[in-house]
Every structure is written in C-alpha cells, then in structure tokens.
Amino acid sequence: MHKSLTFLGIESSCDDTAAAVVRSGTDTEILSSVVEGQVPLHAAFGGVVPEIAARAHAERLDHCVERAMAEAGVGFAELDGIAVTAGPGLIGGVLSGVMLAKGLSAGTGLPLVGVNHLAGHALTPRLTDGLGFPYLMLLVSGGHCQFLIVDGPEMFRRIGGTIDDAPGEAFDKIAKLLGLPQPGGPAVEAEAAKGNPARFVMPRPLLDRPGCDMSFSGLKTAVLRARDTVIAAKGGLTVADRQDLCAGFQTAMASVLQEKTRRALDVYLDARPPVPAFAIAGGVAANQAIRAGLETLCHANSVRFLAPPLRLCTDNAAMIAFAGIERFRLGHCDDFTLSARPRWPLDQTAPAMIGSGKKGAKA
Amino acid sequence: MPPETILAFDTSAAHCAAALLLADGRCLIRREEMAKGQAERLLPLLEEVLAEANLGWRDLNAIGVGTGPGNFTGVRISVAAARGLALSLGVPAIGVTRLEALAHGLPRPVTVVEDARRDEVYVQHFSVGGPEPAALRALAGLSVAGPVTGSAAGNVEGDAVAPAMPMVEAIARIAASRAQDPQPRPAPFYLRGADAAPPSDPPPVILDA
C-alpha cells in the first residue's frame, strides 16, 4: 500500500511542450495533462528544427504548468514533488524544462526528480493499467526504437533496437519524399490504406540476421529509388503511385517490427514471466497496421497486449510525472546541479548501438 | 517606492553572474567565468548569494533576469529559471536586455556596441530622449558618433567609455526601477533568427492532384 503522491510533470524534449499533474496511491489518476504541439512552427522546414523548438519551449512551458495545475485544481501546496524530463532529447528544449523545474523547486521547496524521457514511455503501461513487472516493451517513436524488458521502475534490459533511423523518422522522411504533410506518420498511414502493398515490394532489412536489432535507413532509400523510377518514366507521381509507395513502405515496416517482436517475445518468454505482457509506446504505436500485426502476434503467443491510448503513447508530461513518482518512491531525488542530457540510454549496461565518443551512446 | 529585495542573474555569455540588491541599497555580486556548466551552477550560486545576506527565496520581492542578446542556450537557461522562480514565489520576473544593462548609469547619449560574432555586432543607441530600437549590424562600415560602450566599442569609431557598473548589478537596478509596474514575462531577446533553412530538395510533382 503506497502513500498517495501528487506530482507535477514537465516535458520538453522534442516538439511538444507539456505539463501534467498525476496522483498515485492505490490507484493512479491523471488529474490533468496539457500538451502544446509545435507542428505549424516546423512545417516549412520538413522536420523539427532544434533552435525553433527550444525558443517555443522557453516561452510556453510556464504557461503549460499553470494550465495543468489549474485544470487539476491543485496549488503548489498540494504537490509532493516536481518531475522533469532531463533527457534524452533536443538539448535546448530539455534545458528549458530542467531550468524551469529548478526554479519551481527552489521557490516551493518541493523535491526535484529528473526523469529519463524513455523511462516515461516505458513505464506508461503501469500508469494506465498498473501492469506488473516484468513486461516486454517496444518503444517506437520518431527518435527511438528499442525492445526493453522492464524489470523495475529503473531496471531496463535492452534486447534489441534500431542501428540507424527510428521508424517515426522514416515515416517523416517518406512523407517528405512524397510531398505529404508533417508529421509523416498519420499522412503516410492514410495514403497506405488506399494503396496496393504488392506493387512496390520494399526490402525487410536485417530479417536475415538473428537477434532483435533493426535498420530502417535502407528502407527509406528503397522508397526514394522506387519514387525516382516512377518520376523518370512519367515526369511525376500520380496519387495512386503515391498510395502504392506508402503501402509498400508501411507493409515492410510492419512486417519487420512484427518479426523482430516475435523474436523479442521468445527472449522474454524464455525467462517464464508469471503474467506475460507486451506493451507498445511511442508515436508509431498509433499506426493501426503496425499495432494490429503486433496484437495478432501476442494473441497467438498467449501474451497480454497493451497499447496505451494515443495521447499517452505520444510525448506527454503525465508519463513524466508518473515516472517521477516511481523514482521518488525508490528514494531518488535530484538537487539543483541536475544536468540536462542530450543522450541517456535507459539500459546503461548494454553495449552502445548508436553514437559514441564524447557525447556518449545514443542508444 | 518601498524598499525592494531583488535577485538578478545572467548567463547570456561565458559566465554565471548574480546580483542581490538589498533593501538598504547594498548590492552583493557574484560572477564566475565558465564556458559551460551554467545550468548546473546557476541555482547553487543564487543560493550562496542569498545565504551570504541571510535571506531565503521567500524574502525576494522580484527577480531580474538578463535576456540577451547573447548565447541562445545561455539566455534560455536564465529566462526559464526566472520564470520558474516567479511562478512558484508569486513575484514578478523582469527581463532586462544586455544592451540596456550596459548603458545603465552612463550619461546620454551613448551607443552600446556588443560583439555578436560572425563579424556582426548588436547595436543600440540611447539618446537623451530614450532608447532607439536595437539591431544586429555588420561590423564592417559601421560608424557611430559620440560615446560608445560594450565589448565591441573598441572596434568602431567614437569615444569608448567603460560601463558604469557590472552588468548583473545593472540588471538588478533596472529591474528594481520597473518592479512597481506590471511587466510582461521575461522572454529571450535574440535579435538573430534561428538557423533554419527550408528543405533543399523540392517535393515531387503530383500529376493528378
């Protein structure tokens, strides 16, 4: 039986400015969750521009905090702590959030808890469904793609991940290549639903190799080549060409994720977890084709399938508040020297997959 | 005007600086040179200055913060912290630009010329009647008449004069002069756009759209 704790959460690691209030005791309740997107700010640039994102966060975060607290109907006196994303992510935005949180903590005397953004995603099935450990997690978003066995609020074992692009990034790039709007995920999915997936058969990278690692940059190049072949022949693309390219791409993506998830489930089930469960999080979890494939796979393996509602799959601050509560319960708290970290792998023991040198491993 | 206790800080360049303006008019100043690490150092530095005066966060009547122009990330570090303090303490946070701070206490007219790198400078002229708009200008061919102050004052014609006081003290004193009136929330004063270019490869032609 846990003492009830109420935390403010702050998130600003990419292009969503977010604040939320979460109360967790016997049950967990999201008292408010404010997310302010920045899609129009970045639309002209075909992707998130870090400096533009940082500028927006710095001037919006405190307003989001005020809104979240007003919607929750709580003042600082009703809070038990402040949780903030301290990385990984675009450093300008993360820094704005961390400094705002330090200012709030100084002025109120409330404990400050720095949270790993990925832990926020990975613990979301506990926020929504009170899922018990250990469970298998596929974190699949615009910046990340990894399989994690979650053994505890701070115990993550990465058993595979992308060695280059993240799927969400691939969706965005495909949208850009095909003249579809950003963010690319919903746009490509909508076109794919109308297309013929058999016309352009795309490669399934790394399926021929054992293990749970993935690669998506070659898939993006394959779409570019197929597009250019059509353009060379016709001088442009028809709407139907574009639908077929989207369908071919999405089918390849879904089939890679499904096959790699099958292998990840084997690894996870090997340890005979008492109540086997698989959860998906991150923005790409919103893709119905990908989600359906994984759900079918789980049913076939008698594994419980969990996909949090979309607003909790994409970036939000409720997951940060909740992860902060879980970390705080384990006795962790940060002081004013808390750093914002552009890179911060969840599993600190697994060998680096991407990135090295002075900046350290990205994943 | 009742006596005010105001804490001001600035991390808009390679330093972490704080000034605590006390009700009796004294001003405690701390300034540490550092190229990085301001985000980790700022709050502990502020706590040290407060402790030196035997004060706590709750004793503050207002926050003053340097809004640049300067290092984008550095400016945001201070502005975000100031907004957090203002919200949690229920006191105003008042933004003061680097250019206003450098001109503070000097006779008018004076022109502030601050190094903006890339052979450019931030320029603002403060006439007897008041300040003119600040601008980002090319250093080459820039001519300024009369007294000039700022880090690039020596690079232009005109009579270079030293600032009247440390910049962070000026931020505190300007904030004090504004604390009685409602102020907008402090916002970074960039003067330079974000480096962002539209994608170079055009989208494909859609034949039947």
Side-chain angles (χ1 to χ4, degrees):
Chain A
M1 187 69 155
H2 282 307
K3 174 181 172 284
S4 172
L5 291 173
T6 307
F7 264 56
L8 171 69
I10 296 170
E11 155 65 32
S12 54
S13 66
C14 189
D15 63 342
D16 287 304
T17 313
V21 179
V22 170
R23 179 168 293 156
S24 184
T26 314
D27 299 312
T28 299
E29 195 185 351
I30 298 171
L31 301 183
S32 65
S33 181
V34 172
V35 181
E36 223 175 274
Q38 304 178 357
V39 169
L41 296 182
H42 304 279
F45 304 103
V48 176
V49 181
E51 176 61 21
I52 291 176
R55 289 183 177 200
H57 286 305
E59 296 189 40
R60 292 177 174 190
L61 271 166
D62 57 337
H63 294 280
C64 285
V65 167
E66 285 181 288
R67 267 179 61 202
M69 291 183 62
E71 284 178 23
V74 303
F76 288 114
E78 281 82 50
L79 292 178
D80 297 298
I82 297 168
V84 62
T85 297
L90 300 175
I91 192 65
V94 177
L95 255 179
S96 295
V98 166
M99 294 312 293
L100 180 85
K102 286 183 187 180
L104 292 172
S105 171
T108 55
L110 288 168
L112 173 71
V113 182
V115 168
N116 184 311
H117 174 84
L118 301 175
H121 280 302
L123 296 172
T124 296
R126 292 174 55 72
L127 163 66
T128 54
D129 296 82
L131 191 61
F133 301 115
Y135 55 89
L136 176 66
M137 183 86 206
L138 169 59
L139 187 57
V140 58
S141 68
H144 304 279
C145 185
Q146 47 191 297
F147 290 106
L148 296 162
I149 295 177
V150 186
D151 293 314
E154 301 212 297
M155 292 166 70
F156 306 96
R157 274 181 292 149
R158 191 189 64 218
I159 57 170
T162 180
I163 59 169
D164 43 51
D165 290 358
E169 189 181 355
F171 271 97
D172 285 346
K173 285 176 178 168
I174 297 307
K176 201 166 145 187
L177 287 179
L178 300 178
L180 293 167
Q182 298 290 322
V188 171
E189 183 179 4
E191 293 303 296
K194 295 175 257 173
N196 169 15
R199 180 169 157 211
F200 300 102
V201 177
M202 301 296 171
R204 269 79 168 150
L206 294 192
L207 274 200
D208 53 341
R209 302 220 205 125
C212 305
D213 288 344
M214 293 162 278
S215 162
F216 298 106
S217 74
L219 182 52
K220 177 190 68 197
T221 309
V223 174
L224 175 64
R225 292 234 174 88
R227 179 200 79 162
D228 287 348
T229 305
V230 177
I231 291 176
K234 298 185 187 173
L237 294 179
T238 64
V239 169
D241 292 334
R242 183 158 73 179
Q243 291 166 348
D244 294 345
L245 284 164
C246 287
F249 162 77
Q250 184 178 274
T251 302
M253 175 71 79
S255 108
V256 169
L257 287 171
Q258 190 174 357
E259 171 56 22
K260 294 291 177 172
T261 301
R262 193 189 58 73
R263 296 183 196 177
L265 279 172
D266 284 348
V267 175
Y268 165 70
L269 293 171
D270 248 5
R272 306 201 174 278
V275 189
F278 169 83
I280 182 169
V284 179
N287 185 289
Q288 293 300 326
I290 291 172
R291 194 189 273 228
L294 300 180
E295 195 165 3
T296 308
L297 179 71
C298 286
H299 284 312
N301 284 278
S302 306
V303 170
R304 183 179 173 196
F305 174 84
L306 280 102
L310 180 59
R311 66 191 179 85
L312 296 174
C313 271
T314 51
D315 287 352
N316 66 88
M319 69 179 189
I320 301 305
F322 179 73
I325 290 173
E326 295 241 87
R327 210 171 127 69
F328 187 70
R329 285 200 201 283
L330 292 178
H332 294 296
C333 200
D334 290 285
D335 63 20
F336 292 143
T337 63
L338 174 67
S339 288
R341 301 166 66 172
R343 293 180 174 191
W344 184 4
L346 261 188
D347 182 345
Q348 311 265 353
T349 59
M353 299 184 71
I354 313 173
S356 60
K358 216 165 103 184
K359 289 181 176 170
K362 187 178 171 207
Chain B
M1 188 169 92
E4 298 271 0
T5 304
I6 290 175
L7 180 63
F9 44 91
D10 183 271
T11 52
S12 65
H15 62 240
C16 202
L20 179 61
L21 187 60
L22 300 167
D24 62 10
R26 281 184 304 143
C27 190
L28 307 181
I29 294 170
R30 292 285 192 94
R31 181 186 160 106
E32 295 175 7
E33 304 304 314
M34 58 182 75
K36 56 179 184 177
Q38 287 99 327
E40 290 81 0
R41 184 66 188 123
L42 180 62
L43 270 287
L45 180 78
L46 299 181
E47 286 189 311
E48 288 167 26
V49 183
L50 285 169
E52 192 181 329
N54 268 323
L55 294 178
W57 295 105
R58 293 260 149 216
D59 297 311
L60 298 174
N61 302 108
I63 305 290
V65 61
T67 57
N71 179 283
F72 296 163
T73 299
V75 168
R76 282 190 288 266
I77 285 172
S78 279
V79 167
R83 284 182 173 224
L85 285 168
L87 183 55
S88 58
L89 294 170
V91 302
I94 298 154
V96 176
T97 74
R98 166 191 280 269
L99 307 173
E100 295 173 311
L102 287 165
H104 189 68
L106 290 175
R108 310 299 157 102
V110 65
T111 305
V112 179
V113 184
E114 269 290 275
D115 182 17
R117 302 188 181 191
R118 305 186 203 173
D119 299 317
E120 291 180 314
V121 285
Y122 301 114
V123 182
Q124 189 169 22
H125 183 68
F126 296 80
S127 70
V128 176
E132 290 170 13
L136 177 67
R137 306 269 294 274
L139 182 57
L142 183 72
S143 80
V144 176
V148 188
T149 194
S151 60
N155 299 356
V156 295
E157 283 183 38
D159 314 318
V161 294
M165 64 188 79
M167 185 174 69
V168 72
E169 179 181 350
I171 294 170
R173 295 198 181 278
I174 294 172
S177 72
R178 294 176 181 168
Q180 299 307 310
D181 304 313
Q183 297 288 326
R185 296 185 193 209
F189 185 62
Y190 294 110
L191 267 190
R192 182 179 257 155
D195 258 334
S200 50
D201 42 337
V205 176
I206 303 300
L207 299 169
D208 52 353

